[in-house]
């Protein structure tokens, strides 16, 4: 039970994909925590972190996990690591290259005249700026291959939203880190309604984050559960 897609690997450790890793993590979490009273369809709108779960970055999100599992070929690993290295170099370059507002205005990019130098990465967030435009200003960007340039442009376009979503993911994973004991008796926790106790007992969430997404589990119930789990000792009935 729980919110993650998991399987046992050779060393006995579970392999986990959570809601911020992949859509399969969203799907399995939904099926476990929300039940299957109605036909389930995996819509992208079900993923609260869908801005991170993009098709263009699937290899960057998941290939390293496959390598750790031993299910990625040596050739595929070589290709992945080469691309990862090129992306790292490209990110460093678009963050290093900067210009003043005055220089940018002279080059046809209108920004506020606030005296703040802006990087290529920041400029890519502007609706009328693409990679071709910034390459006209900084010719050294032409050395970046088309696939890498497309990835950097996407990251720049959504940079502000991605930063906020990364903060949300970190908060989400802090909740996920608090494990709920597998033998916890929900019926003895004060502050939980009988309905919530029944849902928790049926679902058996493995983390506080998983419990939070069960329909009907209120913030007040989560507070009561959090307090009890932090005080919990095995075989403690009070």
């Amino acid at each position: 039970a729980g919110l993650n897609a998991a399987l046992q690997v050779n060393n006995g450790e579970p392999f986990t994909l959570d809601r911020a890793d992949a859509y399969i993590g969203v799907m399995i979490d939904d099926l476990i925590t929300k039940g299957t009273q109605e036909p389930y369809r995996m819509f992208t709108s079900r993923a609260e972190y869908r801005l991170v779960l993009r098709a263009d970055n699937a290899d960057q999100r998941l290939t390293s996990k496959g390598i750790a599992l031993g299910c990625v070929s040596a050739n595929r690993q070589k290709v992945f690591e080469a691309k990862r290295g090129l992306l790292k170099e490209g990110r460093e370059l678009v963050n290093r290259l900067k210009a003043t507002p005055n220089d940018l205005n002279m080059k046809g990019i209108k920004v506020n005249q606030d005296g703040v130098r802006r990087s290529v990465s920041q400029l890519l967030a502007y609706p009328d700026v693409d990679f071709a435009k910034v390459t006209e200003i900084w010719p050294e960007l032409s050395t970046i291959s088309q696939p890498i340039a497309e990835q950097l442009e996407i990251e720049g376009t959504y940079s502000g939203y991605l930063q906020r979503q990364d903060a949300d993911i970190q908060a989400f994973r802090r909740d996920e880190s608090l494990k709920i004991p597998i033998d916890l008796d929900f019926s003895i926790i004060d502050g939980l309604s009988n309905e919530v106790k029944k849902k928790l007992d049926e679902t058996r969430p493995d983390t506080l984050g998983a419990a939070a997404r069960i329909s009907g589990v209120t913030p007040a119930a989560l507070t009561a559960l959090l307090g009890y789990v932090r005080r919990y000792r095995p075989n403690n009935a009070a």
Side-chain angles (χ1 to χ4, degrees):
L3 80 127
N4 302 313
L7 56 87
Q8 294 295 120
V9 294
N10 290 337
N11 61 6
E13 293 296 319
F15 167 64
T16 300
L17 292 173
D18 65 27
R19 296 181 73 92
D21 283 326
Y23 280 111
I24 192 172
V26 177
M27 181 182 74
I28 293 179
D29 184 34
D30 281 354
L31 291 172
I32 291 173
T33 60
K34 293 181 171 60
T36 56
Q37 282 88 5
E38 300 177 1
Y40 180 89
R41 293 182 178 88
M42 181 62 255
F43 298 118
T44 57
S45 59
R46 294 185 183 275
E48 57 271 50
Y49 308 120
R50 56 187 174 276
L51 195 57
V52 171
L53 305 181
R54 307 187 313 273
D56 66 276
N57 70 354
D59 57 341
Q60 301 302 304
R61 286 186 284 110
L62 301 173
T63 306
S64 59
K65 296 178 182 295
I67 291 171
L69 284 173
C71 62
V72 173
S73 70
N75 184 61
R76 177 73 187 92
Q77 181 175 348
K78 182 179 179 181
V79 171
F80 165 72
E81 290 176 346
K83 181 181 178 181
R84 183 167 59 180
L86 291 173
L87 275 171
K88 181 176 183 293
E89 292 175 2
R91 289 174 183 134
E92 290 173 351
L93 186 59
V94 297
N95 283 309
R96 185 173 73 249
L97 296 176
K98 297 181 179 181
T100 65
N102 187 54
D103 287 341
L104 291 170
N105 280 326
M106 291 175 62
K107 297 291 186 179
I109 298 179
K110 303 300 181 184
V111 299
N112 291 335
Q113 293 297 305
D114 52 12
V116 177
R117 294 170 64 86
R118 288 168 174 80
S119 67
V120 171
S121 180
Q122 291 171 315
L123 293 173
L124 288 171
Y126 285 65
D128 57 343
V129 178
D130 58 16
F131 209 86
K133 181 67 174 178
V134 294
T135 301
E136 293 175 3
I137 302 173
W138 290 280
E140 54 264 60
L141 292 171
S142 63
T143 61
I144 296 176
S145 66
Q146 184 63 26
I148 300 300
E150 290 177 357
Q151 183 91 50
L152 295 173
E153 185 173 334
I154 291 170
E155 292 177 358
T157 299
Y158 297 109
S159 59
Y161 302 102
L162 288 170
Q163 288 173 10
R164 289 195 289 272
Q165 194 148 104
D166 284 342
D168 290 341
I169 289 171
Q170 290 177 26
F172 154 73
R173 285 181 169 154
R174 282 196 296 271
D175 286 342
E176 298 307 298
S177 66
L178 182 64
K179 293 289 185 180
I180 296 176
I182 193 171
D183 60 345
L184 183 61
D185 183 358
F186 296 107
S187 68
I188 65 174
I189 302 177
D190 293 334
L192 299 183
S193 68
N194 289 334
E195 179 186 3
V196 168
K197 291 176 181 178
K198 181 179 178 182
K199 288 185 175 182
L200 290 171
D201 189 56
E202 291 174 347
T203 306
R204 304 303 306 182
D206 59 356
T207 66
L208 187 70
R213 286 185 299 281
I214 298 173
S215 177
V217 176
T218 65
L222 286 173
T223 300
L225 178 59
L226 172 63
Y228 189 87
V229 170
R230 284 179 172 169
R231 300 189 307 270
Y232 178 81
R233 295 291 182 275
N235 302 316
N236 184 13

